[in-house]
Amino acid sequence: MEKNPSFVKNGQYLSSPRSPPSDTINDTFYRRSRSRETMDDDWNHVQISHDVDQFITTLSTFDDKSNPPDVPDYVETFSRIVESRIDKYNQSEINRRFGKMMEEGQFFIEAVTRISKLANAFSKFQPSASTSPAFNQISMVLQRSMAFLEEEFRSLLEDGKNNSQSNSGNFFKNSSFNYKYQDRSNQGETSSGDFPGYSSEVVTKMNKIASTMISAGYETECCQVYSVSRRIAFNEQMKKLEFEKIDMDDVLKLQWETLEGEISRWIRVVQTCSGSLFPGEKKLGESIFTGHPLIRRSLFTNLARAVVIQLLDFAEAVSMAKRSAEKLFKFLDVYETLQNLILAINDSCSHECEHELTSEIAASGDRIGESAVSIFCDLENSIKSDVAKSPVPGGAVHPLTRYVMNYLKYACEYKDTLEKIFEKHAKLEKSVPMSSNLSSNDIEKESESPHNFETVAITTPFSIQIVTVVDLLDANLEAKSKLYRDPSLRYIFLMNNGRYILQKVKGSTEVGQLMGDTWCRRRSTVVRHFHKNYQRETWSRILSCLSHDGLQVNGKINKSVLKERFKIFTTTFDEIHRTQSTWVVSDEQLQSELQVSITAIIIPAYRSFLGRFRQYLDGGKVDKYIKYQPEDIETLIEGLFDGNPTSMGRRRT
């Protein structure tokens, strides 16, 4: 083998059949002393790039690592061209001229890539007097190139947003697109505008720089610039959302009204992160680090972890806040927000970190869920402890009934979430699906009632909890009904509240699905039962006045008894009307049903009695004993259950 074989001999290229003739390119030509500016204009970039590629290929296939080939002069010249580009790009007056030539920027990237390949190829040979100067020069040029690209990368990341004709960066100035890089949230309220806000052109520039730096072995520097810049940008977005980290102790000291506002703010922040910011970061990383999924995932993971930790600190503090019934819905909002955050993290982080982060978020959600379960179960204790000493005026719907049923209605709007929470709670308790306050004996007793668990459409831990609450409410209302001395008013009270409960169940799709049609039919039967009992207690006295029994003595009408009957009827009806006009039936349909049923009982009986026995009264004294005509009675019945107009208005359901 010839020692130190050269790839340029007597002005001729030995390894490239495509090389130009010796009279156009030779050693003397390469050694010409010219300024860097003149070099840029004279050299044929395409040809010299081709020659360098050929030399890189030769170095890569050269077997004798201890005896490297001679380095052609055009390698040194090529490195000088690259240096000259860096110098020009750093001069503002050149920037303006260079900004008009897209191919110059592309040439620089390709040239730096060749410098990197040259450095890598030289590094495989043992240092020698012939190669060390070239290698040192190439290494120096490579370092300058990487430093320049690093600064260019930083400039594009920090100043290249929302500007399709960005002045940031010193090359790739040409723009042929004005497409905003963005990822809008499909949740309108969580959109953060065009985020991250880079044009397609800028993203393409950053992709080329990142790929060049990574292939040259400068992955750490590239990732550090990207990570720092994106964290700063993300923190700016968080500030725009008015998110500030709050110490856990300070959160626990807040009054609920203030904490409620902070929770709402936190939810908006997390929703924006889940719906816009994180997806935007993921897409940006995928676009810049194409072909490097591990790097992209690692960068996103580091950013996401720093943000998520701050968000979870607040959620943890909320889970430890003092619990009360009115806080349930905010707790559920926090829980759902955390579930959406898990979805945003999935498929974006590395597998290991994804599991780590989602596990932390899920654990925080579980603690919020346990708080929600505790709050909901406390509703049972609230119902049991609500002991009234005086009845609601007029037998109206009790405030407790309104509160509980509206509470259940709003709670069931979170049905899917509560189903998950109670299911998980039941598994953690390793018990049969039941309320935390019920024993198996309790369930056996409940199964004997008309409202037992078998009437529920779908038996789940949460649906059983709902039925338990309604049954406890029924028991409480039954106890409260005994505060009324008048049995008729007692049934009006039970009818009002029973009808209200039924209407609330039917009026809510979610509650209705949980309770089921069978439960609703049985509840309707119970309300009708109260209705019949009311009629019996109230109007049986009126019907007894209209009885024919005892009116005849020896086959003749006893006028004195008849007169007394008319008198008792009038007195009794006046008393009922006076009293029950102050009673309240706020459900218009129920009120109408009551009035129609009363009319159907009283009017035919009264009309028949009047037609049969009126003739036996003294002609001139009929009006003395007959105060009302059937039409008058019907009109007065229509005025029942309106409440006392001077002290009680109609109540809304």
Side-chain angles (χ1 to χ4, degrees):
M1 178 182 292
E2 181 183 357
K3 186 177 181 180
N4 290 329
S6 175
F7 295 91
V8 181
K9 186 176 182 179
N10 296 327
Q12 296 285 336
Y13 283 85
L14 302 182
S15 59
S16 174
R18 299 174 56 190
S19 299
S22 60
D23 59 344
T24 58
I25 297 182
N26 51 46
D27 291 346
T28 303
F29 182 73
Y30 280 119
R31 294 191 184 95
R32 285 188 301 176
S33 175
R34 285 183 174 273
S35 68
R36 291 177 176 174
E37 290 78 10
T38 305
M39 287 182 195
D40 289 346
D41 294 331
D42 291 346
W43 288 110
N44 183 326
H45 298 160
V46 175
Q47 183 61 58
I48 197 170
S49 297
H50 171 74
D51 295 336
V52 170
D53 288 341
Q54 291 289 337
F55 183 63
I56 292 172
T57 301
T58 302
L59 287 176
S60 301
T61 58
F62 200 75
D63 295 330
D64 190 355
K65 303 303 180 184
S66 63
N67 191 21
D70 291 339
V71 181
D73 289 340
Y74 59 76
V75 171
E76 177 184 357
T77 303
F78 184 75
S79 65
R80 288 179 179 177
I81 292 176
V82 176
E83 283 192 280
S84 72
R85 289 294 184 273
I86 296 174
D87 291 338
K88 288 182 179 181
Y89 297 154
N90 288 327
Q91 299 175 20
S92 59
E93 66 273 15
I94 301 300
N95 286 343
R96 288 190 291 272
R97 178 179 65 82
F98 180 69
K100 299 177 182 178
M101 295 179 290
M102 179 67 174
E103 62 274 11
E104 289 280 0
Q106 182 63 32
F107 166 78
F108 181 78
I109 284 292
E110 294 175 354
V112 172
T113 300
R114 290 185 174 89
I115 289 291
S116 172
K117 291 180 179 179
L118 276 171
N120 183 60
F122 272 125
S123 67
K124 298 177 181 179
F125 292 92
Q126 296 179 5
S128 67
S130 61
T131 60
S132 291
F135 178 71
N136 291 337
Q137 182 187 21
I138 290 171
S139 297
M140 182 270 293
V141 173
L142 180 62
Q143 291 176 10
R144 283 198 66 192
S145 299
M146 290 298 111
F148 172 77
L149 289 180
E150 180 179 337
E151 186 58 34
E152 186 75 7
F153 195 39
R154 178 184 293 106
S155 179
L156 288 169
L157 283 166
E158 295 178 358
D159 303 324
K161 297 187 289 292
N162 298 317
N163 187 358
S164 62
Q165 301 286 350
S166 173
N167 291 323
S168 63
N170 298 323
F171 61 106
F172 293 119
K173 297 285 185 171
N174 184 60
S175 175
S176 58
F177 297 98
N178 191 25
Y179 172 75
K180 289 290 184 182
Y181 175 88
Q182 58 186 316
D183 192 299
R184 291 184 182 273
S185 166
N186 54 15
Q187 301 178 17
E189 73 277 12
T190 65
S191 176
S192 185
D194 294 348
F195 183 83
Y198 297 104
S199 68
S200 176
E201 171 210 0
V202 172
V203 173
T204 300
K205 296 176 186 177
M206 292 191 289
N207 170 262
K208 292 182 178 295
I209 293 175
S211 299
T212 302
M213 293 185 70
I214 292 172
S215 64
Y218 284 75
E219 174 185 327
T220 300
E221 290 79 1
C222 177
C223 292
Q224 183 175 6
V225 169
Y226 182 87
S227 179
V228 171
S229 296
R230 292 315 305 159
R231 286 195 183 188
I232 292 174
F234 210 99
N235 288 336
E236 289 176 354
Q237 291 296 320
M238 300 290 273
K239 288 181 180 178
K240 289 180 180 179
L241 295 170
E242 300 180 347
F243 176 78
E244 295 181 3
K245 186 176 180 180
I246 304 178
D247 185 81
M248 185 174 293
D249 292 335
D250 293 336
V251 173
L252 296 176
K253 293 176 182 177
L254 294 177
Q255 296 294 323
W256 172 242
E257 292 76 12
T258 304
L259 179 57
E260 190 175 20
E262 292 298 327
I263 291 175
S264 297
R265 188 197 313 275
W266 178 89
I267 289 173
R268 288 195 298 271
V269 171
V270 181
Q271 286 178 336
T272 303
C273 288
S274 300
S276 175
L277 301 186
F278 282 154
E281 284 298 328
K282 176 188 174 184
K283 189 172 182 180
L284 179 65
E286 290 172 341
S287 300
I288 292 178
F289 296 96
T290 305
H292 301 281
L294 295 180
I295 293 176
R296 186 264 301 171
R297 283 178 176 268
S298 176
L299 289 169
F300 180 87
T301 293
N302 293 334
L303 173 64
R305 181 189 291 110
V307 175
V308 168
I309 288 175
Q310 294 185 47
L311 298 175
L312 292 186
D313 285 344
F314 181 84
E316 289 289 336
V318 171
S319 69
M320 293 187 291
K322 186 178 179 181
R323 299 163 185 174
S324 57
E326 72 273 10
K327 298 179 182 179
L328 173 66
F329 307 109
K330 278 298 180 184
F331 275 61
L332 293 175
D333 287 338
V334 171
Y335 181 90
E336 291 183 345
T337 302
L338 290 174
Q339 301 308 300
N340 291 332
L341 181 59
I342 291 177
L343 297 177
I345 294 298
N346 284 337
D347 299 328
S348 298
C349 299
S350 62
H351 178 72
E352 295 77 7
C353 185
E354 172 195 332
H355 178 72
E356 174 191 345
L357 271 181
T358 55
S359 294
E360 289 187 27
I361 299 171
S364 181
D366 288 343
R367 284 186 279 275
I368 291 289
E370 284 298 305
S371 297
V373 168
S374 176
I375 290 174
F376 197 91
C377 291
D378 281 345
L379 181 62
E380 298 177 20
N381 296 327
S382 299
I383 296 172
K384 292 176 182 178
S385 61
D386 190 271
V387 180
K389 296 183 178 179
S390 58
V392 175
V397 177
H398 197 280
L400 177 65
T401 306
R402 296 179 184 276
Y403 175 81
V404 171
M405 294 311 299
N406 283 313
Y407 195 88
L408 293 182
K409 175 181 179 295
Y410 292 127
C412 285
E413 292 180 3
Y414 296 84
K415 181 174 69 71
D416 293 340
T417 297
L418 284 167
E419 288 281 11
K420 294 178 183 178
I421 291 175
F422 273 90
E423 186 70 32
K424 182 170 290 187
H425 175 73
K427 290 180 180 179
L428 291 174
E429 293 295 320
K430 295 181 179 180
S431 61
V432 295
M434 65 178 70
S435 162
S436 60
N437 294 328
L438 286 180
S439 66
S440 57
N441 291 332
D442 292 327
I443 290 186
E444 291 178 3
K445 293 178 181 178
E446 289 293 341
S447 65
E448 299 173 358
S449 75
H451 319 303
N452 64 74
F453 301 143
E454 295 179 356
T455 66
V456 184
I458 303 175
T459 302
T460 64
F462 178 58
S463 65
I464 291 175
Q465 190 71 31
I466 294 291
V467 174
T468 299
V469 169
V470 174
D471 285 346
L472 287 173
L473 178 60
D474 283 336
N476 185 286
L477 293 173
E478 179 66 29
K480 285 181 168 59
S481 71
K482 295 177 181 178
L483 296 173
Y484 296 98
R485 295 182 178 180
D486 188 333
S488 297
L489 184 54
R490 181 181 305 154
Y491 289 118
I492 287 292
F493 173 77
L494 291 173
M495 196 182 341
N496 269 327
N497 285 269
R499 181 60 169 259
Y500 184 87
I501 293 171
L502 178 62
Q503 293 303 100
K504 281 295 181 180
V505 171
K506 287 184 175 181
S508 169
T509 301
E510 293 78 9
V511 182
Q513 288 175 348
L514 286 173
M515 305 303 286
D517 293 337
T518 302
W519 183 93
C520 290
R521 286 194 296 271
R522 294 190 180 187
R523 170 65 59 166
S524 297
T525 300
V526 171
V527 174
R528 285 197 299 271
H529 179 69
F530 293 147
H531 187 160
K532 290 179 180 179
N533 287 343
Y534 158 76
Q535 287 183 333
R536 184 183 66 249
E537 290 291 339
T538 298
W539 301 102
S540 60
R541 291 181 293 162
I542 290 290
L543 292 177
S544 65
C545 296
L546 302 177
S547 172
H548 295 189
D549 295 341
L551 290 179
Q552 290 185 356
V553 178
N554 297 324
K556 294 183 179 182
I557 299 299
N558 189 326
K559 293 184 179 181
S560 61
V561 174
L562 179 62
K563 293 176 183 178
E564 185 65 20
R565 287 284 183 88
F566 274 110
K567 183 177 180 181
I568 293 174
F569 172 85
T570 300
T571 303
T572 302
F573 182 82
D574 284 345
E575 177 187 350
I576 292 173
H577 181 266
R578 182 175 60 255
T579 301
Q580 298 195 13
S581 292
T582 65
W583 294 0
V584 178
V585 176
S586 52
D587 185 282
E588 293 184 0
Q589 183 179 349
L590 177 60
Q591 184 188 69
S592 177
E593 289 174 1
L594 281 168
Q595 292 168 350
V596 168
S597 66
I598 294 168
T599 300
I601 294 172
I602 301 302
I603 298 303
Y606 183 62
R607 181 175 283 112
S608 174
F609 188 86
L610 193 61
R612 172 71 175 81
F613 298 108
R614 180 173 182 168
Q615 59 182 319
Y616 295 103
L617 299 177
D618 296 336
K621 297 183 178 180
V622 171
D623 293 341
K624 178 180 179 181
Y625 301 106
I626 302 176
K627 182 177 180 180
Y628 300 115
Q629 295 299 315
E631 295 75 15
D632 300 327
I633 297 292
E634 191 170 356
T635 300
L636 292 172
I637 289 174
E638 292 175 356
L640 298 177
F641 316 120
D642 273 336
N644 188 335
T646 61
S647 61
M648 300 176 62
R650 286 292 291 273
R651 300 191 179 188
R652 295 184 300 172
T653 56

